[in-house]
Amino acid sequence: MTTTVFLQLVTNGIAQGAMYGLIAVGYTMVYGIIQLINFAHGEFFMFGGFGALAVYLWIPPVQHLPLLAALPIMLVGGMIASVVIAVLAERFAYRPLRNAPRLAPLITAIGVSILLQQLVFLWYPQPGGGKVQVGVNAPVQFPTFAGKPFHLGGVLIQRANLLTVIVAFLCMAYLAYFVAKTRTGRAMQATAQDPDTARLMGINTDKVIVVAFVLGAAFAAVASITYGLRFGQVSYDMGFSAGLKAFTAAVLGGIGNIYGAMVGGLVLGIAEQVTTGVLANYHATQQWGTAWQDVWAFLLLIIVLLVRPQGLLGERVADRA
Amino acid sequence: MTSTMTTEPGPAGAVGTSVLEARGVTMRFGGLTAVDGVDLTVGDREIVGLIGPNGAGKTTFFNCLTGLYVPTSGDVRYKGTVLPSKPYRVTQAGIARTFQNIRLFANMTVLENVMVGRHCRTKEGLFSAIGRGPRYRAAERDSRENARELLDFLGIGRHAGSLARNLPYGDQRKLEIARAMASDPGLILLDEPTAGMNPQETRATQDVVFKIRERGLAVVVIEHDMRFIFGLCDRVAVLVQGRKLVEGTPQVVRADERVIAAYLGTPYEDGAAGAREDEGTAS
Amino acid sequence: MADKVPEWGSASQPRQPDTLSAQPQRNAAVSPALAKALIGLGALATIASTFLAWTWTTSFPGDLSVTGYPGGNQVITLVVGVLLLVALGTAYGLPGLRWLAPRGHVRLLRGLALAGAVSTWYILLAVAIELNGIANWVTGSWVALTATALPVAGAFLLADDRHEAARPPAALPRWAQTVIILAAIISAMFIADYGITTSFTEEFIGFALAVGLAAWGLNSSGVLARLTELNARNRVATSAAAFAAALLFVFLQTSDQYNTIADDILIFATVALGLNIVVGLAGLLDLGYVAFLGVGAYSAALVSGAASSRFAHTALPFWAQILIGVGVSIIAGVIIGAPTLRLRGDYLAIVTLGFGEIFRIVVNNLNGVSGPSLTNGPEGVYGVPDLSLFGYDFGKPHVLFGVTFGKFGNYYLLLLVAMAIVVFIYARVNESRLGRAWVAIREDETAAEAMGIHGYRFKLLAFALGASLAGFAGTINAHLLNTVTPDQYMFSASSPPNSAFLLAAVVLGGMGTISGPLLGASLLYLVPAKFEFFQNKQLLLFGLALILMMRFRPEGLVPNKRRQLEFHEEEVAEAEAHAVAEADASEAEAVA
């Protein structure tokens, strides 16, 4: 294996990992504050992609713009879709269970996840009907960049990958500013540390929780659009495995730790690409390559839980055991 | 504490004289030292009180004794052997505890709660539970009888069949004690057993603690209620900011200027009731 | 929901006498005598109407065109009418019928009246709509329409007389208790049988409406609570009766047609019960449970002698297959559980979810191309031979006691035994040191550890036991279906068993109970199987159902009456002592 090939794998891994990281931020913020694994977060992610696609398909002028100019408009659509869904889910499914036994909100989260997936599936064009002819389970096409990838040394950099990394960086910079400098951000940190005391100090914890859901969903929408751009498709069930990976990333970086989420995402993305790439590169291990990618990611999760359960950067969760 | 006494190791010498020996227990959380070099010895059938203002480290010290926390330094011996650092092993060894904020198994019956306390004195596993041989039945009957006896001992036998969460508050505290006693401990640690009780119930709890002693147990009590502590304990230790300030008989502690200054702020007779109420709302 | 719990408590644990005899508020607007007469008249007319034709054509399924005897859904209306007459007996205070309504007869009447009316009207409406117009109604339709409306009017004119149940009467002789239990369970079996063998959607909807509303009436009249209590007191008799009733089911089948449904329900329910140990008792959320079923099924299929198996020449006896299936499942369970169960409880959910997904990927790829050759990839292992135990070939028809058992009838018998084993294990473990330790961990792990419970070890044990039971069911499943493929074992798919459905069955039925998951599994299987309309929306509805259940009835349809099921023998004596002591206490307080 040459260095170039290796670097190519790392580059692809960074783009993939940045996307995981963007999704993982939502998991980790919500978990840090209310200790809920929001299984539906993968579906918030999926909604973002479909929201953006809806804007693209239903507002014809957008289609005639250059993609780079259309993207901000699509982004707004995607964010609205996923944020609205997240706020609704928080308000009507999770909030009433704030003081319930811990199994109850987890099961509700599963329910929300299945419900959202199936809601989108309902609108899938069925074979023989509808405008777009796709098979029942086929993914839906997403616009992609037309231009050629950039060359850097021998390494190819896809336009969509470059965009993903830039956007992820901007998002994290904003998040860092938000958490450290704004009132709401500090309230969020306080709530994560000790919700009861935060409430006593006059912080509206309900609002803080909604903000965490909103931010998480908005980031997920961004991630979803980068997913669409990179793979040229979105599908109703894309949230399942992306969500699983993103949660792995959140645990990897240290649950509750927003920077950890991005670090975990990058590590997972790179590890995944490099492992499969290296395995596929040699004849003896060839068959253990691409098809097994998710298995390696899962093994990584198990190993991290065994070796460093608090994650790479350390978890930040109020201990209420 | 004379250091010559406490440094004598060996289980043989300790049995019968001291049940618990904690030496130099220190617990640090990051930069914060919650418990700082505390020694405590509890003799056979002795009732020891642990008092101190909120945040003095009393409960943290308890958690160090029961394996919930592993002390940063120092060691704890029970009847001469160093205590293991896992809560379930500590209970197995013979130290049982109650919790400051009641932690019953709310959706189990009162009797079941006490039977759970019996857990570490029984062994029946999966296969005997399925097979239900004579030995299993006998063990189960023993646990049940033991639990009933303890419930009667604490005067809540009539509630045996109801769910723990439906019990009145005072009875929930008693149930916690019954559950702790089910593990046949040699030492029982009570964390604020009279919190939220009225004066009558507090007096009744005093009698309960004396009765527990009569059964051959040593007791350590954390409490804010001075009258309760001074009427109950053979010896009282005062913890302030993680350090042991004074230790001695109730008379000695009551008279000690430093205790009055550090803990009450005002002389005992005037301040006790008020101090207690303040602590109650804060905790 | 909040007010349900104390109600239960008061039913089994008597309070002061004055709360027992709360007088119903009488509404003087209509004389109760008139209302009762209305109900009686309506019930008789309802019964009569079922002997008339409800339409003139046979093109509506179930043939409602016959005058002289009831057919199709008329049978349901007839049964409800008869029940209504019996319930009316309680309203008139007929001796021997009072036990039907310990908490008041009006709700019972309302429930049954609604059951009759709603179910009948639904069918009549379906006739009118599907055959295009009310012109398809005949005299009988109008009679039925009016007749079923009368009891509803009567029952709602009666003032609600709901009150706390009185202390149960002196215990009946044992044989009488057993007879009641047997009768109740056999009736339940007949209802289930009717539901399973309904042959068209309208029939099933009419049936479901009637059963649902009648169950509501029976429940609020307190008779179901009495039955539950009786069952709890005679657990051996109940289990035997349930087993007998389940056996009776298969003897009633004239063909193998509905045995396939019954088999699927049994497998589904058995696995759900296994999951209930993990989720309901130990409080561990296992979202990849069906993967353990898959592990068991694959392990058994590979050594069953199936031609497509990697080890086609290895045909081990069934007991050895079970051992291997269970063993491999346990190993998988320990591999997943050991690192995860040490950590925060929530991590288990995500790791098991991942495991479920990984299992599918792995068996898909162990096909000799993208991985070593083991599982034959997406095609799976097919041609798994039918079982043959003690010379009894499960694949061939047999005649037992004059009844022909086809393949699915044979497997029904085996599955019944398997389920009995799982129920037995569950019941025994639930009430043991082990079960108490699990529930204690579920309730408060820190306190449990302070009581000397090694939390990690017991959680791992629960997880491994759950895995082994699923593996056990999987070995049978492999033979029943004759094939094992990866997509039979997914997190969510449109047909049970899959992990989402299993969880839904446990949650819907009631966590920590035996009958809950059985009921939940039956409902979750039957409803989509019978409603064609549901076919592509069932997952959507299940998602919604999970959310709504957690919000409004987290204890499930069959709430866990732990207190009632346990210590039932001492309970009466205890309750009495309790009442005396409380009376003493209140006296003492009054004095002070």
Side-chain angles (χ1 to χ4, degrees):
Chain A
M1 168 169 281
T2 61
T3 321
T4 321
V5 175
F6 185 79
L7 284 177
Q8 181 69 59
L9 290 172
V10 172
T11 314
N12 295 348
I14 288 173
Q16 183 77 7
M19 186 192 80
Y20 290 153
L22 281 175
I23 311 172
V25 166
Y27 274 111
T28 220
M29 273 197 296
V30 168
Y31 194 93
I33 295 174
I34 54 174
Q35 263 108 76
L36 166 73
I37 299 182
N38 178 17
F39 285 101
H41 190 65
E43 275 61 47
F44 299 169
F45 161 78
M46 177 265 295
F47 258 76
F50 277 90
L53 188 65
V55 168
Y56 183 80
L57 292 177
W58 293 345
I59 308 177
V62 176
Q63 289 179 43
H64 301 299
L65 291 172
L67 189 52
L68 211 51
L71 272 178
I73 307 171
M74 290 166 66
L75 184 63
V76 172
M79 279 191 178
I80 290 175
S82 84
V83 166
V84 165
I85 284 296
V87 170
L88 288 178
E90 194 279 329
R91 179 66 191 81
F92 294 107
Y94 299 142
R95 193 182 298 179
L97 299 177
R98 197 78 38 87
N99 295 315
R102 69 182 174 82
L103 220 51
L106 273 182
I107 292 170
T108 298
I110 301 282
V112 174
S113 161
I114 296 175
L115 178 71
L116 293 180
Q117 244 185 53
Q118 295 299 314
L119 271 179
V120 172
F121 184 56
L122 270 191
W123 297 104
Y124 256 57
Q126 296 301 310
K131 283 181 196 160
V132 196
Q133 274 293 333
V134 288
V136 178
N137 285 321
V140 181
Q141 217 174 21
F142 202 87
T144 48
F145 288 111
K148 285 197 178 121
F150 305 108
H151 284 265
L152 193 74
V155 179
L156 286 180
I157 299 177
Q158 303 289 339
R159 283 158 188 259
N161 285 358
L162 183 64
L163 186 79
T164 305
V165 174
I166 294 171
V167 168
F169 179 79
L170 291 177
C171 283
M172 291 312 290
Y174 171 73
L175 193 64
Y177 162 78
F178 174 81
V179 170
K181 300 288 181 200
T182 66
R183 241 175 95 79
T184 322
R186 283 194 297 264
M188 191 181 270
Q189 279 183 303
T191 311
Q193 294 265 317
D194 187 339
D196 296 330
T197 312
R199 202 172 296 120
L200 286 175
M201 295 297 129
I203 292 173
N204 181 350
T205 47
D206 275 344
K207 189 186 143 199
V208 167
I209 293 166
V210 172
V211 169
F213 271 91
V214 167
L215 269 179
F219 278 40
V222 174
S224 193
I225 293 168
T226 66
Y227 178 99
L229 290 172
R230 288 171 58 231
F231 300 108
Q233 59 178 52
V234 285
S235 73
Y236 77 100
D237 57 358
M238 73 194 221
F240 183 80
S241 87
L244 210 57
K245 296 278 187 64
F247 188 83
T248 305
V251 172
L252 199 60
I255 195 93
N257 188 327
I258 49 172
Y259 308 109
M262 185 47 82
V263 172
L266 290 172
V267 170
L268 180 65
I270 295 170
E272 204 177 84
Q273 294 294 323
V274 169
T275 315
T276 43
V278 169
L279 286 173
N281 193 48
Y282 297 104
H283 185 70
T285 55
Q286 198 176 19
Q287 59 181 6
W288 296 101
T290 332
W292 294 80
Q293 182 174 319
D294 288 357
V295 180
W296 306 137
F298 181 72
L299 276 183
L300 183 65
L301 174 66
I302 295 277
I303 291 168
V304 168
L305 289 179
L306 267 175
V307 180
R308 198 174 159 83
Q310 73 275 34
L312 297 173
L313 299 198
E315 58 186 20
R316 290 190 190 160
V317 181
D319 194 8
R320 265 174 280 163
Chain B
M1 281 279 100
T2 55
S3 56
T4 44
M5 259 184 67
T6 45
T7 43
E8 271 177 20
V15 172
T17 54
S18 83
V19 176
L20 181 81
E21 251 184 81
R23 277 185 310 166
V25 173
T26 302
M27 185 73 214
R28 286 196 197 88
F29 297 103
L32 178 86
T33 308
V35 177
D36 192 0
V38 174
D39 300 328
L40 188 74
T41 310
V42 182
D44 192 25
R45 301 195 181 206
E46 198 177 16
I47 302 178
V48 176
L50 201 57
I51 61 174
N54 267 340
K58 303 183 296 292
T59 298
T60 310
F61 182 60
F62 256 34
N63 288 346
C64 291
L65 297 186
T66 52
L68 216 54
Y69 297 153
V70 182
T72 319
S73 64
D75 69 356
V76 184
R77 285 162 189 270
Y78 173 76
K79 293 190 174 165
T81 24
V82 175
L83 274 182
S85 61
K86 289 271 194 285
Y88 60 87
R89 294 228 183 98
V90 172
T91 314
Q92 175 84 33
I95 299 183
R97 71 170 295 177
T98 66
F99 292 90
Q100 184 177 352
N101 43 347
I102 302 177
R103 302 186 81 152
L104 291 170
F105 307 121
N107 290 313
M108 297 174 90
T109 67
V110 168
L111 190 66
E112 280 179 298
N113 263 277
V114 184
M115 288 172 79
V116 169
R118 191 88 196 139
H119 182 92
C120 63
R121 301 290 169 237
T122 44
K123 285 195 190 62
E124 285 61 38
L126 178 62
F127 295 105
S128 53
I130 295 171
R132 298 231 165 146
R135 190 176 301 172
Y136 171 88
R137 286 161 196 262
E140 201 69 346
R141 194 169 47 242
D142 281 353
S143 298
R144 189 166 300 215
E145 277 165 10
N146 175 278
R148 282 185 180 282
E149 193 270 322
L150 281 169
L151 288 175
D152 290 336
F153 173 71
L154 286 157
I156 48 174
R158 62 181 188 278
H159 291 306
S162 40
L163 290 187
R165 64 156 180 243
N166 294 340
L167 241 54
Y169 184 80
D171 288 346
Q172 294 200 359
R173 287 246 175 246
K174 287 184 189 161
L175 177 54
E176 268 218 322
I177 298 177
R179 188 179 66 176
M181 287 178 69
S183 64
D184 274 347
L187 169 69
I188 186 164
L189 308 178
L190 305 177
D191 198 344
E192 298 197 22
T194 71
M197 284 186 174
N198 63 32
Q200 282 164 324
E201 288 172 321
T202 306
R203 264 199 308 282
T205 308
Q206 223 163 32
D207 295 338
V208 167
V209 178
F210 283 131
K211 271 160 65 191
I212 292 174
R213 189 231 309 259
E214 278 163 31
R215 288 169 73 112
L217 276 72
V219 184
V220 180
V221 194
I222 292 182
E223 198 40 88
H224 283 302
D225 187 333
M226 292 296 154
R227 212 162 306 179
F228 176 80
I229 283 286
F230 290 143
L232 179 74
C233 299
D234 305 318
R235 210 147 41 82
V236 178
V238 185
L239 239 57
V240 174
Q241 292 181 345
R243 290 168 181 275
K244 193 166 75 181
L245 193 65
V246 191
E247 185 182 334
T249 60
Q251 287 76 12
V252 171
V253 171
R254 198 191 301 215
D256 196 295
E257 298 276 324
R258 287 171 300 171
V259 177
I260 296 169
Y263 184 35
L264 305 172
T266 50
Y268 161 61
E269 268 73 24
D270 302 340
R276 188 181 174 228
E277 269 163 31
D278 292 347
E279 317 280 15
T281 50
S283 65
Chain C
M1 178 237 126
D3 62 335
K4 282 272 156 59
V5 177
E7 257 169 38
W8 248 106
S10 44
S12 62
Q13 173 195 318
R15 298 261 162 83
Q16 309 303 323
D18 58 334
T19 57
L20 295 178
S21 52
Q23 284 302 313
Q25 301 283 313
R26 288 277 166 204
N27 180 354
V30 179
S31 113
L34 180 66
K36 284 182 199 168
L38 215 53
I39 299 174
L41 191 70
L44 288 173
T46 302
I47 293 170
S49 77
T50 62
F51 289 87
L52 301 173
W54 285 0
T55 181
W56 54 271
T57 156
T58 53
S59 54
F60 188 79
D63 194 1
L64 306 174
S65 65
V66 187
T67 305
Y69 59 90
N73 278 61
Q74 291 176 329
V75 179
I76 298 168
T77 310
L78 175 66
V79 172
V80 175
V82 173
L83 284 178
L84 201 50
L85 274 185
V86 177
L88 197 60
T90 67
Y92 282 114
L94 284 190
L97 287 179
R98 287 185 56 86
W99 58 271
L100 261 177
R103 273 169 35 191
H105 56 261
V106 172
R107 299 248 179 151
L108 177 63
L109 287 172
R110 287 181 186 175
L112 289 173
L114 280 176
V118 173
S119 153
T120 308
W121 292 356
Y122 166 77
I123 288 298
L124 291 173
L125 213 62
V127 167
I129 291 171
E130 280 170 38
L131 305 182
N132 292 320
I134 293 183
N136 294 294
W137 284 3
V138 293
T139 327
S141 323
W142 294 101
V143 173
L145 197 71
T146 330
T148 51
L150 291 180
V152 177
F156 279 89
L157 284 173
L158 283 174
D160 197 353
D161 68 337
R162 193 171 157 84
H163 52 77
E164 295 298 336
R167 181 89 64 81
L172 293 165
R174 201 126 254 176
W175 64 265
Q177 295 189 12
T178 313
V179 168
I180 294 176
I181 291 170
L182 197 64
I185 287 178
I186 299 274
S187 338
M189 191 279 300
F190 270 106
I191 294 171
D193 179 31
Y194 192 99
I196 290 175
T197 56
T198 48
S199 43
F200 53 98
T201 309
E202 292 84 353
E203 187 182 15
F204 183 79
I205 295 180
F207 160 82
L209 287 170
V211 170
L213 288 164
W216 172 74
L218 287 168
N219 188 37
S220 44
S221 80
V223 66
L224 287 188
R226 278 283 153 82
L227 275 177
T228 316
E229 212 175 297
L230 208 57
N231 289 347
R233 275 173 209 282
N234 302 279
R235 231 162 327 164
V236 177
T238 306
S239 321
F243 194 77
L247 263 183
L248 187 61
F249 170 87
V250 73
F251 279 98
L252 288 177
Q253 303 305 310
T254 45
S255 75
D256 233 11
Q257 188 187 358
Y258 295 112
N259 283 339
T260 53
I261 298 183
D263 286 357
D264 286 345
I265 293 178
L266 277 183
I267 281 267
F268 186 20
T270 308
V271 183
L273 201 57
L275 178 63
N276 200 22
I277 291 182
V278 185
V279 178
L281 287 186
L284 307 170
L285 190 55
D286 185 345
L287 297 175
Y289 196 64
V290 82
F292 295 113
L293 185 76
V295 170
Y298 265 98
S299 309
L302 285 174
V303 293
S304 66
S308 60
S309 158
R310 178 82 204 281
F311 315 105
H313 302 294
T314 318
L316 296 183
F318 186 50
W319 61 263
Q321 293 177 26
I322 289 181
L323 280 186
I324 290 176
V326 169
V328 177
S329 296
I330 291 179
I331 292 170
V334 170
I335 290 175
I336 297 303
T340 320
L341 289 167
R342 280 184 200 280
L343 311 167
R344 345 180 135 265
D346 322 299
Y347 281 6
L348 183 70
I350 202 89
V351 170
T352 48
L353 187 65
F355 170 64
E357 181 69 3
I358 295 309
F359 172 76
R360 193 177 59 83
I361 297 174
V362 168
V363 291
N364 255 321
N365 286 309
L366 291 178
N367 56 1
V369 180
S370 56
S373 168
L374 183 67
T375 60
N376 211 18
E379 284 173 48
V381 184
Y382 46 86
V384 178
D386 278 305
L387 280 176
S388 178
L389 293 179
F390 310 112
Y392 186 98
D393 187 342
F394 281 72
K396 294 205 176 73
H398 292 267
V399 179
L400 293 176
F401 307 107
V403 177
T404 311
F405 280 75
K407 176 187 167 182
F408 294 104
N410 296 331
Y411 276 104
Y412 182 92
L413 297 176
L414 180 67
L415 286 168
L416 206 55
V417 173
M419 169 176 267
I421 292 172
V422 176
V423 168
F424 179 77
I425 291 177
Y426 186 99
R428 286 249 157 141
V429 167
N430 183 20
E431 276 183 52
S432 71
R433 173 175 176 270
L434 192 59
R436 285 192 298 272
W438 283 338
V439 177
I441 292 171
R442 183 191 75 193
E443 295 281 308
D444 185 336
E445 192 168 347
T446 307
E449 293 239 322
M451 293 305 117
I453 294 170
H454 191 340
Y456 172 67
R457 179 192 290 172
F458 280 85
K459 286 196 286 185
L460 194 56
L461 184 58
F463 198 70
L465 179 63
S468 70
L469 292 179
F472 170 59
T475 55
I476 302 177
N477 204 25
H479 291 277
L480 172 68
L481 301 176
N482 300 122
T483 47
V484 183
T485 61
D487 43 332
Q488 288 165 349
Y489 308 102
M490 306 222 298
F491 172 69
S492 64
S494 52
S495 71
N498 57 59
S499 295
F501 272 51
L502 284 168
L503 182 70
V506 172
V507 170
L508 186 74
M511 283 187 264
T513 62
I514 291 177
S515 47
L518 306 190
L519 180 69
S522 316
L523 280 178
L524 284 187
Y525 190 89
L526 273 185
V527 171
K530 294 292 178 183
F531 282 77
E532 275 140 38
F533 154 80
F534 270 10
Q535 286 304 321
N536 58 354
K537 297 187 187 65
Q538 45 176 298
L539 267 174
L540 181 100
L541 292 170
F542 289 167
L544 199 59
L546 281 183
I547 301 170
L548 294 178
M549 284 302 281
M550 280 298 113
R551 175 79 177 80
F552 297 107
R553 200 177 161 83
E555 76 274 29
L557 295 175
V558 185
N560 180 7
K561 291 156 206 143
R562 201 170 171 82
R563 169 178 39 162
Q564 261 217 316
L565 299 175
E566 307 253 3
F567 318 121
H568 44 91
E569 260 145 33
E570 300 91 2
E571 197 173 47
V572 178
E574 238 154 42
E576 275 164 8
H578 183 180
V580 171
E582 265 196 355
D584 287 351
S586 58
E587 257 172 42
E589 265 177 31
V591 172

